[in-house]
Amino acid sequence: MKITIFGLTISSSWGNGHATPYRAIIRALHCKGHQIHFFEKDVPYYRSRRDFETCSYCDLTLYQEWAQIRAIALETAGASDVVITASYLPDGQRISDEILGLSRPLRVFYDLDTPITLRKLESGGVEYVRCDQIPDFDLVLSFTGGKSIAELEKRYGARMACPLYGCVDPDVYTRVAPAQEFTCDLSYMGTYAADRQARVDELFVEPARRHPEMQFVLAGSMYPWEWQWPANVRVMEHVAPYAHPQFYSSTRLTLNITREEMARNGWCPSGRFFEAAACGTPLLTDCWEGLDWFFDTEHDLRVVTSADEVEAALMMSDSELRQMAQSARHRTLQEHTGEARARQLLQYFEEARSASSSKVETSEVA
């Protein structure tokens, strides 16, 4: 199968949650014998923070302007079995109009930011997709499940909406020898976001203040660097993807905190969940609807809502933490890998194509 994807970025993981799941899923599709071509606009922000310009598991085209590669892009897309456009794609509305005009491929929209998209559609729209385009896609994929799926179908007229959650590539994310620079009692990896900073303060900074004898590491971009962090908190602007296994393997516990809009919707696992779990690192997380579908909240991880609960987790024995981490790792490798998501994606393609064919046949009979 030939699959063409127009997305935000696969080449840079800096300050976005798109590149990592793209890589895991596309690599798994490649291993199954499928051919993937990824088109990415070469924007300055990602150009200066790029992890690679070519990769072994897909053809990658970096372009300056859509007009410069429009002809070859549409030729490639038109000869494909499936074409995907996605959230935060530069010139996304225009590109989707072009893709929706193609008759051969299955037309898919993948929203890796669904709660944000839905909120903004209510209050003026987003640059990467219009309300009137949603019903024209054969399939709409959502990074979050739950009520987002119902809203996409019932309110915005999506023909078929399905969840395609985050995932991990276990060949890349596995336990490795710890690194001195990352060694700590508790870590948190996440880009700065105003709507979750209060929880970062409560669940990460406050435990650090209470325990000056412990070490804490925060890795994330866009934090105001003039802030005064506790002396036992090491702040890193970015940890490159190749170093993530070392990062997680060097920390006794790691913390997940969800963006407010995502948490409000629920069914929104961060890829960091699966990365840390695959590396055998014990997980702490805030709570949201659907969490217990992805992990056993009694055995795989600990849900924390206060600094006191984080402290309690930090006091757990090494054997307790190790058992918890092993349980989460087993579940992740069974259910949340790029291979698992690739299987789901291929099944969605078949279902969407069947639904589209049935609709055409019904129209012809009528």
Side-chain angles (χ1 to χ4, degrees), residues 147-184:
K147 60 186 179 183
S148 291
I149 302 301
E151 188 169 357
L152 284 166
E153 290 184 336
K154 295 178 181 179
R155 181 169 183 177
Y156 293 100
R159 300 182 195 180
M160 176 179 171
C162 301
L164 190 68
Y165 300 112
C167 58
V168 67
D169 185 338
D171 291 335
V172 176
Y173 291 89
T174 188
R175 194 142 191 98
V176 298
Q180 183 68 34
E181 62 184 307
F182 301 132
T183 300
C184 63

Side-chain angles (χ1 to χ4, degrees), residues 137-154:
F137 286 101
D138 300 297
L139 171 64
V140 175
L141 300 169
S142 171
F143 211 59
T144 59
K147 60 186 179 183
S148 291
I149 302 301
E151 188 169 357
L152 284 166
E153 290 184 336
K154 295 178 181 179

Side-chain angles (χ1 to χ4, degrees), residues 4 13 45 71 91 143 182 192 205 214 218 240 242 251 263 287 310 314 323 330 352:
T4 297
S13 63
Y45 183 82
D91 303 311
F143 211 59
F182 301 132
Y192 172 77
V205 179
M214 294 184 177
L218 183 150
Y242 70 81
T251 178
C287 191
V310 174
L314 287 167
Q323 185 174 4
H330 176 76

Side-chain angles (χ1 to χ4, degrees), residues 5 7-10 18-26 38 86 110 112:
I5 303 173
L8 172 64
T9 178
I10 189 175
H18 291 214
T20 301
Y22 278 142
R23 294 172 189 176
I25 295 170
I26 291 172
F38 195 102
Y110 188 15
L112 290 89

Side-chain angles (χ1 to χ4, degrees), residues 53 85 90 111 148 183 205 242 271 286 288 295 304 338 345 354 362 366:
E53 293 189 1
T85 61
D111 199 331
S148 291
T183 300
V205 179
Y242 70 81
D286 55 354
W288 35 265
F295 288 103
V304 290
L345 184 60
S354 296
T362 300

Side-chain angles (χ1 to χ4, degrees), residues 52-358:
F52 55 76
E53 293 189 1
T54 62
C55 63
S56 61
Y57 46 84
C58 76
D59 293 322
L60 173 59
T61 296
L62 297 165
Y63 62 93
Q64 298 295 319
E65 297 295 337
W66 170 247
Q68 295 174 341
I69 54 99
R70 177 181 178 276
I72 187 64
L74 292 180
E75 181 180 350
T76 302
S80 300
D81 299 289
V82 179
V83 180
I84 301 173
T85 61
S87 55
Y88 285 95
L89 168 65
D91 303 311
Q93 291 185 10
R94 178 182 178 185
I95 295 174
S96 287
D97 276 336
E98 303 265 27
I99 297 310
L100 290 169
L102 301 175
S103 58
R104 181 181 185 275
L106 191 76
R107 289 84 49 87
V108 180
F109 180 71
Y110 188 15
D111 199 331
L112 290 89
D113 309 273
T114 317
I116 296 170
T117 301
L118 293 176
R119 175 179 61 79
K120 289 186 175 180
L121 286 177
E122 291 181 349
S123 58
V126 292
E127 295 179 355
Y128 47 84
V129 72
R130 298 192 309 271
C131 293
D132 65 281
Q133 290 176 322
I134 294 175
D136 292 333
F137 286 101
D138 300 297
L139 171 64
V140 175
L141 300 169
S142 171
F143 211 59
T144 59
K147 60 186 179 183
S148 291
I149 302 301
E151 188 169 357
L152 284 166
E153 290 184 336
K154 295 178 181 179
R155 181 169 183 177
Y156 293 100
R159 300 182 195 180
M160 176 179 171
C162 301
L164 190 68
Y165 300 112
C167 58
V168 67
D169 185 338
D171 291 335
V172 176
Y173 291 89
T174 188
R175 194 142 191 98
V176 298
Q180 183 68 34
E181 62 184 307
F182 301 132
T183 300
C184 63
D185 296 281
L186 179 66
S187 66
Y188 169 66
M189 183 182 290
T191 303
Y192 172 77
D195 66 358
R196 66 179 165 194
Q197 189 56 38
R199 278 170 293 160
V200 173
D201 290 338
E202 173 67 20
L203 303 178
F204 183 81
V205 179
E206 180 58 25
R209 290 194 183 101
R210 296 183 186 182
H211 291 276
E213 78 283 3
M214 294 184 177
Q215 293 298 310
F216 296 74
V217 172
L218 183 150
S221 58
M222 296 189 282
Y223 285 86
W225 295 106
E226 68 273 12
W227 284 1
Q228 295 298 312
W229 301 91
N232 58 338
V233 173
R234 302 198 303 280
V235 181
M236 304 174 181
E237 187 177 9
H238 182 63
V239 177
Y242 70 81
H244 284 194
Q246 270 195 327
F247 177 87
Y248 288 119
S249 299
S250 303
T251 178
R252 189 166 181 264
L253 280 160
T254 196
L255 174 67
N256 173 76
I257 301 177
T258 311
R259 289 287 303 271
E260 183 177 337
E261 284 180 303
M262 305 291 273
R264 190 183 307 121
N265 176 84
W267 298 86
C268 55
S270 165
R272 303 290 182 243
F273 258 133
F274 306 130
E275 291 179 8
C279 291
T281 302
L283 289 158
L284 305 182
T285 183
D286 55 354
C287 191
W288 35 265
E289 183 182 358
L291 173 61
D292 57 358
W293 187 87
F294 299 94
F295 288 103
D296 184 325
T297 55
E298 293 294 324
H299 299 100
D300 297 346
L301 47 73
R302 287 291 179 271
V303 175
V304 290
T305 60
S306 67
D308 290 343
E309 291 175 342
V310 174
E311 279 190 286
L314 287 167
M315 296 303 121
M316 291 173 66
S317 69
D318 289 344
S319 61
E320 288 177 303
L321 293 177
R322 185 164 51 249
Q323 185 174 4
M324 186 172 75
Q326 288 173 347
S327 181
R329 184 173 189 274
H330 176 76
R331 179 150 180 166
T332 295
L333 297 185
Q334 291 293 312
E335 301 177 15
H336 305 308
T337 62
E339 156 64 9
R341 297 292 181 260
R343 290 198 307 269
Q344 293 171 342
L345 184 60
L346 294 172
Q347 182 61 39
Y348 291 154
F349 289 164
E350 289 300 315
E351 293 173 5
R353 195 173 294 282
S354 296
S356 181
S357 298
S358 298

